[in-house]
Amino acid sequence: MSGFPRQQADLIVTTDGPLLTCAAPDGGLGLLEGGAVAARDGVIVWVGGKAQAEVEVSLSEDARRVDCGSRVLMPGVVECHSHPVFGGDRAGEFQMRVTGSDYEEIARAGGGIMSTVRETRAASPELLLERGRRHLDWMLDYGITTVEAKSGYGLDTDSELRLLEVIAELGRTHPATVVATFLGAHTVPLEYRGRADDYVDLVVEEMLPRVAEAELARFCDVFCEDVAFNLDQSRRVLQAAKEYGLLPKIHADQLSAGGGAQLAAEVQAVSAEHLDYIDGAGIAALAEAGVTAVLLPGAVFFLGRTHYAPARALLEAGVPVAISTDFNPGTCYSENPFLMGTIASCYMGLSAAQVIVGLTRRAAGALGMEEEVGSLAPGRRADILVLESEDYLDLPYHFGVNPVAAVFKNGRLVRDRSGGGRGGLVSAGKPQAAEAKAGRAE
Ligand code: NIG
Ligand code: FE
């Protein structure tokens, strides 16, 4: 018996294989061979070696014990850049793109983001909620337990507020933790073509105060790009956002180099996102200002392009690098974060460890939530993934598939996909009382 008080827990998840805490001080995987995670009331209270758990953790009578064999355990994925609430789709536009039309050309002709804006404005809140819920469900299937959701397909005050209200309702009702970002400056809507500054006035003088007053968003984002807003306009939006207490984020250097990364540093953005065309000065600016780079290789891939963000140069400069899907109807219609990991490996030269930390801890950093999600450590939410594989190197290697066997969110089992494969590893062997309790909770 040990001489110190044991941690009380109502959930323990164990493996004889790799446990990736993603909490190592060096920013690495924090790999434990044969590990356990214990939680109480949805919060992690203990992480360590499986044998040590016998000594240091005390389980309540109806605790859920989950023996995962030798399967990999890792933190829930944090999706830190997505556009999951919109009307319609762009499947037809995708066909135009793959047969020769260009993304910017379609946008200039009034398609692209504007075509989704038209369908979103015409959709009822109920439909938008149903669609948003479906997308978050798809994400949860892939182990995404925290989702940043942007507005940006309304582009008038009422439609933007409606989108943010739908996102708030998703946060109240979906198992995932949902973080809202106001993206009123996503593009200049058709009715303001040629009058971008007037539209920026609307964003700054009308939308932002309403969003802030209703406390509908934590972050404010802007698409800083030739086809959207220039540096001065982007700066105006982000500075105003800060005055209203929203934290700045920025879509920067996605389709061309435009100084967006430097602007991110100047306004002390929490993150700069895309960065496919960032240059040396931009990298230095992010490193100096401590801004997280959110890389979205799925968007480059799905646009049929080859100019990926310089991930290794960013890492070498000391910039924290997060990876996310950018799930949206135009540039990345995929909710599979592990596919993004494979693309990041193949085209950006990231290792499996860099990908996994990028999808979890670094993505949490891009939301200012490193103390809450993205790693397995005491005090974090008990958001735990059980993978079907016994080797984490399979994550980028076995590509385009869903490697997730089970998902715990706040200590609750919210997905168990294991039965279809090798046979009910998570649900089996659960004490009767825990089964009944989980059933009620879910
Ligand atoms: O992140 N870059 C701007 N926004 C999205 C694209 C949105 C769309 O095409 O509908 C992006 O790639
Ligand atoms: Fe985006």
Side-chain angles (χ1 to χ4, degrees):
M1 222 43 222
S2 67
F4 47 86
R6 305 204 306 171
Q7 285 295 339
Q8 305 288 316
D10 55 25
L11 170 71
I12 187 157
V13 186
T14 62
T15 182
D16 292 319
L19 165 67
L20 315 177
T21 67
C22 299
D26 67 357
L29 279 179
L31 169 67
L32 283 172
E33 219 28 80
V37 185
R40 187 175 66 241
D41 297 331
V43 177
I44 296 173
V45 292
W46 187 92
V47 180
K50 189 178 167 187
Q52 206 55 23
E54 304 285 334
V55 183
E56 296 186 15
V57 177
S58 161
L59 292 173
S60 57
E61 209 171 292
D62 64 351
R64 184 191 283 256
R65 297 172 176 80
V66 185
D67 177 356
C68 300
S70 295
R71 289 167 178 81
V72 176
L73 301 183
M74 64 174 277
V77 171
V78 177
E79 168 57 52
C80 65
H81 179 134
S82 83
H83 309 249
V85 184
F86 52 85
D89 66 55
R90 307 240 289 279
E93 196 179 279
F94 177 63
Q95 289 307 309
M96 287 167 65
R97 284 205 289 103
V98 296
T99 52
S101 300
D102 177 71
Y103 181 75
E104 285 101 316
E105 187 182 301
I106 294 172
R108 287 199 183 92
I113 294 173
M114 269 321 290
S115 102
T116 300
V117 167
R118 279 188 290 275
E119 300 222 48
T120 303
R121 286 176 178 172
S124 68
E126 292 73 25
L127 180 67
L128 292 172
L129 185 62
E130 186 194 314
R131 293 285 302 274
R133 182 170 295 128
R134 185 194 305 169
H135 298 152
L136 264 51
D137 279 346
W138 293 349
M139 290 182 181
L140 195 59
D141 288 344
Y142 281 97
I144 292 174
T145 48
T146 299
V147 187
E148 184 251 17
K150 300 178 195 289
S151 67
Y153 290 120
L155 306 190
D156 62 44
T157 305
D158 287 347
S159 304
E160 282 296 307
L161 288 170
R162 189 160 67 240
L163 281 173
L164 289 169
E165 275 155 12
V166 166
I167 291 168
E169 180 62 11
L170 288 170
R172 288 187 286 269
T173 54
H174 196 274
T177 299
V178 179
V179 181
T181 295
F182 168 58
L183 179 55
H186 196 185
T187 196
V188 182
L190 281 188
E191 60 273 23
Y192 279 87
R193 281 281 156 100
R195 297 190 295 130
D197 286 320
D198 292 347
Y199 182 68
V200 172
D201 287 345
L202 180 76
V203 171
V204 167
E205 288 163 18
E206 190 175 292
M207 294 188 194
L208 263 173
R210 300 269 305 269
V211 170
E213 193 195 344
E215 297 182 12
L216 282 170
R218 188 182 302 176
F219 298 103
C220 177
D221 195 349
V222 56
F223 187 17
C224 180
E225 188 65 52
D226 283 349
V227 288
F229 300 94
N230 66 28
L231 277 175
D232 287 341
Q233 292 158 346
S234 302
R235 181 183 291 107
R236 229 188 117 203
V237 171
L238 295 179
Q239 275 172 348
K242 282 172 79 170
E243 279 160 30
Y244 283 105
L246 277 74
L247 304 173
K249 278 179 169 289
I250 177 165
H251 278 68
D253 303 327
Q254 178 183 5
L255 306 169
S256 57
Q262 287 89 329
L263 177 60
E266 179 192 321
V267 300
Q268 292 169 299
V270 57
S271 60
E273 328 214 334
H274 288 281
L275 304 174
D276 302 309
Y277 285 85
I278 189 174
D279 58 15
I283 294 174
L286 294 188
E288 166 84 23
V291 177
T292 295
V294 175
L295 306 187
L296 306 158
V300 183
F301 177 83
F302 196 66
L303 285 172
R305 297 185 179 180
T306 53
H307 204 295
Y308 287 89
R312 291 169 70 112
L314 284 158
L315 283 167
E316 274 155 28
V319 177
V321 170
I323 308 280
S324 266
T325 68
D326 194 19
F327 177 81
N328 76 78
T331 64
C332 191
Y333 196 54
S334 170
E335 68 282 10
N336 181 349
F338 303 103
L339 175 58
M340 307 311 147
T342 300
I343 301 172
S345 293
C346 292
Y347 297 106
M348 294 172 161
L350 293 190
S351 68
Q354 288 164 337
V355 162
I356 294 167
V357 172
L359 290 170
T360 55
R361 180 174 177 179
R362 295 305 178 218
L367 297 176
M369 293 173 77
E370 240 192 275
E371 302 298 313
E372 189 179 337
V373 294
S375 55
L376 300 177
R380 308 282 190 272
R381 291 173 184 259
D383 298 352
I384 307 162
L385 305 189
V386 184
L387 303 185
E388 200 50 68
S389 175
E390 298 172 1
D391 183 351
Y392 73 84
L393 293 179
D394 282 340
L395 274 186
Y397 176 51
H398 190 186
F399 77 97
V401 299
N402 188 345
V404 173
V407 181
F408 290 86
K409 174 64 193 173
N410 293 329
R412 279 177 48 210
L413 180 63
V414 291
R415 288 289 187 276
D416 183 358
R417 309 175 69 251
S418 61
R422 300 172 31 198
L425 80 135
V426 169
S427 300
K430 197 164 47 179
Q432 214 59 36
E435 184 87 74
K437 187 175 154 199
R440 274 200 310 277
E442 282 152 29

